[in-house]
Amino acid sequence: MTRFEVVRDPLWDNIRLDPEALAVVDTPAVQRLRYVRQLGHAFLVYPGATHSRFEHALGAYQLARRALSQLEDAGDVRLDAADRARLKLAALLHDIGHYPFSHSLEEAGLPHHEELAARHLADGELAQRLAELRIPAQRLLPLIQCRVREPLAGLVSGSLDVDKLDYLSRDAWMCGVPYGVIDVDRLLTSLTLAPGRTGHPTLALHEKGLAALESLLFAKYQMYRNVYWHHAVRSATSMFKRLVRHAIAAGRVRPDAVAVATDDGLIHELLQQDATGLARSLRERRLAKRALDLPATELPADTPSWPSDDPDLLERVEDRLARDVGVAPGELFLDFPAKATMLALDLPLVKRDGTVTQLGGAEAAAHLGLPRVAGELYRSARRLRVFVLGEARVDAKRIVELVMMPRDAVIGLVSGER
């Protein structure tokens, strides 16, 4: 008799864990995800946002099961048991390398969590269980790291993957906001296979799912604007990034230890001998306040990327600005988060007459309204902010001019005495 167990979930009701999931779910690497919050410091704003990466992993697994069953029932794919198990496990383990406190440590300059997945999948009890299942790390990593072209890879990482379907729905539910409501059932039943840009079969969407896809894109925009990039969440994230970078530079924590820590374990470690005071401020929710808050729509459209992708330069800029406005280094934070692919699409669309077109770039605007205004929506979701611990006045015009400077010019500026 096939052995399985059922887990109750507030979002998807019953999640059935098949034998391959049961084999890995109680390993230390997977259980660690119970103690890593899905939304980092968002619980400081939305008290219900304490859900974990573990819950999200189970949700992604459940949606992968449903998607595969739907595709097989429709006759779109024929999978053997090994491939079916591999795809479901990739969905379950897609966040296995995730840091504590969401994506803040990737912003701080540490390697992306997909790169760390190998460490968890190739060593320890999880690796042993995968070997017993004959699904070793090298068969899962390409799916998790989006490095493989196979028909159903888009279920794990793509424009319409089960990761997005679960986290947008779950985050909205747990935060108590109406912004992330998605017609998941319609999207799942609209999945099919069609030739992609290279001519090979890939995950595609039937035309009947277009309205549901547009609702997903708008939900993503709303969640970034109202939850993920909420000013207090970004203030806490900025403080936390500086705290961890300082602790690593001082040799008090090691990056490889941070990568396998839990939220509470890491903050407990950081509270010990915290020279910055930021750990206690975060613990007691004494957050840096906004000295500047401008929508990106008030800036030129083509802004340089250094504020979001060069944490070393950003820290130097922050400390020079802090000195100039009369606060101590480490008490001023410049924040201008970016996610250029927020509303991007790249998947085939199967029309009702059976013809196939590509949903991506300008082609998407022919079938959906939202991509036509995606650039402006993205800019309206972004905010340029300066947070300060204490009292300080900042010159908005000067900050905008600084952010608009090319990277090399900024390096020259902070290297000089002016």
Side-chain angles (χ1 to χ4, degrees):
M1 180 180 293
T2 301
R3 178 172 169 259
F4 67 89
E5 290 186 9
V6 173
V7 175
R8 292 289 292 176
D9 180 69
L11 197 60
W12 309 124
D13 297 325
N14 293 326
I15 295 179
R16 170 173 158 159
L17 297 179
D18 291 329
E20 71 278 354
L22 288 175
V24 304
V25 79
D26 282 335
T27 60
V30 178
Q31 288 296 307
R32 181 186 76 94
L33 299 180
R34 286 185 184 272
Y35 311 103
V36 176
R37 293 187 190 92
Q38 176 76 9
L39 290 186
H41 289 96
F43 74 98
L44 296 176
V45 179
Y46 299 96
T50 55
H51 54 300
S52 69
R53 292 275 161 188
F54 182 78
E55 297 163 63
H56 167 56
L58 294 183
Y61 174 82
Q62 168 71 357
L63 294 182
R65 285 188 76 253
R66 288 175 58 184
L68 291 172
S69 295
Q70 184 274 321
L71 288 165
E72 289 185 299
D73 289 346
D76 291 328
V77 295
R78 289 287 180 268
L79 295 172
D80 59 28
D83 274 338
R84 194 180 304 113
R86 181 173 62 92
L87 286 160
K88 289 189 293 183
L89 278 182
L92 177 66
L93 300 174
H94 75 281
D95 273 349
I96 195 67
H98 222 291
Y99 294 100
F101 293 100
S102 195
H103 292 276
S104 54
L105 296 181
E106 294 170 341
E107 291 184 30
L110 274 65
H112 281 246
H113 71 272
E114 291 91 350
E115 299 175 36
L116 301 179
R119 173 178 177 180
H120 295 272
L121 295 175
D123 294 312
E125 191 175 331
L126 176 56
Q128 181 181 336
R129 295 287 177 273
L130 292 173
E132 291 167 0
L133 292 169
R134 297 182 180 178
I135 308 176
Q138 55 265 34
R139 297 195 63 206
L140 291 175
L141 277 172
L143 283 168
I144 292 172
Q145 296 175 343
C146 197
R147 291 189 292 103
V148 63
R149 287 183 179 177
E150 60 179 82
L152 295 179
L155 276 179
V156 181
S157 182
S159 295
L160 200 52
D161 56 39
V162 293
D163 175 31
K164 290 183 187 68
L165 294 181
D166 184 83
Y167 82 67
L168 288 170
S169 303
R170 190 174 300 277
D171 294 350
W173 177 271
M174 299 304 292
C175 289
V177 299
Y179 310 124
V181 178
I182 301 166
D183 192 347
V184 172
D185 288 341
R186 185 66 166 177
L187 285 170
L188 291 179
T189 57
S190 300
L191 293 177
T192 185
L193 290 185
R197 292 187 185 278
T198 62
H200 296 97
T202 188
L203 193 69
L205 185 75
H206 193 276
E207 190 174 4
K208 66 182 180 181
L210 277 176
L213 175 63
E214 193 148 44
S215 77
L216 181 148
L217 293 174
F218 192 66
K220 197 174 183 185
Y221 156 72
Q222 290 275 34
M223 289 297 287
Y224 270 93
R225 179 168 183 164
N226 295 288
V227 177
Y228 307 146
W229 288 348
H230 184 283
H231 66 88
V233 176
R234 292 306 305 176
S235 174
T237 300
S238 297
M239 294 168 65
F240 182 71
K241 288 190 294 183
R242 174 60 72 101
L243 170 63
V244 174
R245 284 174 59 85
H246 188 276
I248 290 173
R252 291 196 294 106
V253 296
R254 303 188 322 277
D256 59 338
V258 169
V260 295
T262 62
D263 284 14
D264 286 345
L266 179 57
I267 202 68
H268 176 78
E269 184 72 22
L270 294 170
L271 278 165
Q272 314 303 312
Q273 302 176 341
D274 175 27
T276 67
L278 293 173
R280 187 156 299 281
S281 293
L282 284 168
R283 193 70 163 177
E284 298 171 0
R285 202 189 182 277
R286 290 183 282 109
L287 304 180
K289 303 302 181 185
R290 286 172 289 177
L292 176 70
D293 191 340
L294 293 175
T297 49
E298 295 185 14
L299 279 64
D302 192 16
T303 56
S305 63
W306 66 262
S308 60
D309 67 13
D310 192 337
D312 294 330
L313 178 58
L314 179 65
E315 185 171 313
R316 294 174 64 194
V317 167
E318 289 173 339
D319 286 348
R320 285 299 302 271
L321 286 172
R323 188 180 76 179
D324 290 352
V325 303
V327 298
E331 293 186 352
L332 181 147
F333 311 96
L334 176 68
D335 186 58
F336 196 29
K339 189 174 180 62
T341 59
M342 178 192 295
L343 302 175
L345 282 175
D346 188 15
L347 76 162
L349 174 71
V350 180
K351 297 183 180 180
R352 296 186 190 278
D353 63 4
T355 59
V356 178
T357 187
Q358 194 72 21
L359 282 179
E363 299 152 312
H367 304 279
L368 295 165
L370 191 143
R372 300 173 198 172
V373 293
E376 285 306 301
L377 286 176
Y378 172 57
R379 291 179 68 206
S380 69
R382 293 184 78 195
R383 311 284 297 195
L384 170 61
R385 297 179 175 119
V386 175
F387 301 107
V388 181
L389 290 167
E391 296 293 330
R393 294 175 61 87
V394 299
D395 184 336
K397 182 180 178 182
R398 181 186 175 206
I399 298 297
V400 171
E401 289 174 349
L402 176 66
V403 168
M404 291 306 301
M405 286 184 179
R407 188 187 314 260
D408 290 344
V410 177
I411 292 172
L413 192 65
V414 297
S415 299
E417 286 302 312
R418 288 189 300 111

